[in-house]
Amino acid sequence: MTFIILMRKRTAVFYLLSFLLVIMFMLRTYAFAVHPNMDNWKKEKIVVDKVKTEKKMVALTFDDGPDPQFTPMVLDVLKNHQAQATFFVMGKKAEANPAILRRIAAEGHEIGNHSYSHPNFNKIKKKAQLEEIDKTRIIIKNITGQTPRLLRPPGGYLSYDLVAMTKERKMTIAYWTYQQDSKDWRNGVKATAIARHVIRNISPGQIIILHDGCPNGIQTAKATDMIISRLQEEGYSFVTMSELIKLENQ
């Protein structure tokens, strides 16, 4: 009897572990799912996630700011290392922190469009998506005098309608290199882990995604310092995303 109970327990554990493995696989598959037309859009340079170059140049990009606490910390790090970056800002936060947005522009960094309020584009209609993009473009223009040419849709959303809208506005959809997503936005992820992920996976032409506008921003700022210090020692330069894109045409 004891043997039967033990076997049943082992069977139950086996099925539970199998179930969990299936769920993990599904989540990973979902997380890395891309639009079926992604390859074509990349060939047409409508979507950019990395650049083909032998030069040791990469682009640091920061999402979800400007944040009154964390963005200045990141800017200080960039200034200290004389490195350039691209900031994909939310219109709502840009309105609330215009001085920081002006500082980003004044220090030679690029400003990209990351929607007004960072909604789930899967749950709003085309008109609402367009309003999110256009409102942010106007805000950036009014504060800095610059018209953003790069769009990073919230959550990496892609659709035929979105591509059509960006084409009409002569914008490029600015993705990131999937190997360079350290998930730095997650609370509790330490700077050392963020930096280690980026450094281990580095190669020329990559677009690194980080977040200056999330609660874990202090770790992102510290990691940025570690990343630049180490990679500059290895001969890497940090340029804006638009500058990186130009390399492919040379």
Side-chain angles (χ1 to χ4, degrees), residues 21-33 178 183:
L21 286 171
V22 170
I23 293 297
M24 289 174 65
F25 174 79
M26 291 175 66
L27 288 173
R28 286 178 61 85
T29 301
Y30 175 78
F32 291 108
Y178 79 90
K183 310 296 183 186

Side-chain angles (χ1 to χ4, degrees), residues 50-211:
K50 59 183 176 181
V51 171
K52 293 179 181 178
T53 180
E54 294 182 0
K55 295 181 179 180
K56 282 190 167 183
M57 290 187 174
V58 293
L60 281 172
T61 67
F62 296 90
D63 287 11
D64 301 343
D67 180 89
Q69 178 182 2
F70 306 131
T71 304
M73 293 173 64
V74 170
L75 288 169
D76 288 344
V77 170
L78 294 169
K79 187 175 183 179
N80 183 51
H81 291 286
Q82 297 183 323
Q84 301 305 126
T86 301
F87 289 80
F88 289 96
V89 304
M90 293 168 52
K92 185 176 182 179
K93 291 186 178 181
E95 278 183 322
N97 302 283
I100 299 175
L101 196 70
R102 283 191 287 268
R103 180 184 170 186
I104 292 172
E107 294 185 1
H109 305 295
E110 184 173 24
I111 298 173
N113 191 324
H114 196 41
S115 81
Y116 181 76
S117 61
H118 205 289
N120 184 342
F121 269 31
N122 282 296
K123 295 184 178 180
I124 62 175
K125 295 182 179 180
K126 176 183 175 181
K127 182 180 179 182
Q129 294 176 9
L130 185 57
E131 289 173 351
E132 285 274 335
I133 295 167
D134 284 347
K135 190 174 182 179
T136 301
R137 185 188 75 244
I138 293 169
I139 289 167
I140 294 171
K141 174 70 173 177
N142 289 342
I143 294 174
T144 69
Q146 298 182 13
T147 299
R149 296 301 178 190
L150 297 178
L151 169 68
R152 178 166 286 170
Y157 173 86
L158 270 181
S159 70
Y160 290 105
D161 283 339
L162 182 68
V163 167
M165 287 188 286
T166 54
K167 279 184 176 180
E168 290 172 4
R169 283 152 185 76
K170 297 180 180 179
M171 299 180 76
T172 299
I173 296 178
Y175 251 50
W176 56 91
T177 308
Y178 79 90
Q179 295 99 327
Q180 286 297 355
D181 185 359
S182 63
K183 310 296 183 186
D184 65 305
W185 52 268
R186 290 178 175 170
N187 286 331
V189 179
K190 299 299 182 183
T192 50
I194 297 167
R196 183 168 57 247
H197 178 95
V198 172
I199 293 165
R200 282 181 176 176
N201 292 288
I202 201 68
S203 64
Q206 288 184 333
I207 298 162
I208 301 163
I209 182 171
L210 296 166
H211 298 76

Side-chain angles (χ1 to χ4, degrees), residues 8-27:
R8 285 178 177 174
K9 286 183 178 179
R10 288 181 177 176
T11 301
V13 170
F14 171 78
Y15 281 115
L16 178 60
L17 289 174
S18 299
F19 175 76
L20 290 173
L21 286 171
V22 170
I23 293 297
M24 289 174 65
F25 174 79
M26 291 175 66
L27 288 173

Side-chain angles (χ1 to χ4, degrees), residues 56 198-203 226-238:
K56 282 190 167 183
V198 172
I199 293 165
R200 282 181 176 176
N201 292 288
I202 201 68
S203 64
M226 298 176 191
I227 291 165
I228 298 176
S229 296
R230 175 63 179 276
L231 294 183
Q232 282 183 338
E233 289 177 359
E234 295 183 10
Y236 277 91
S237 298
F238 296 85

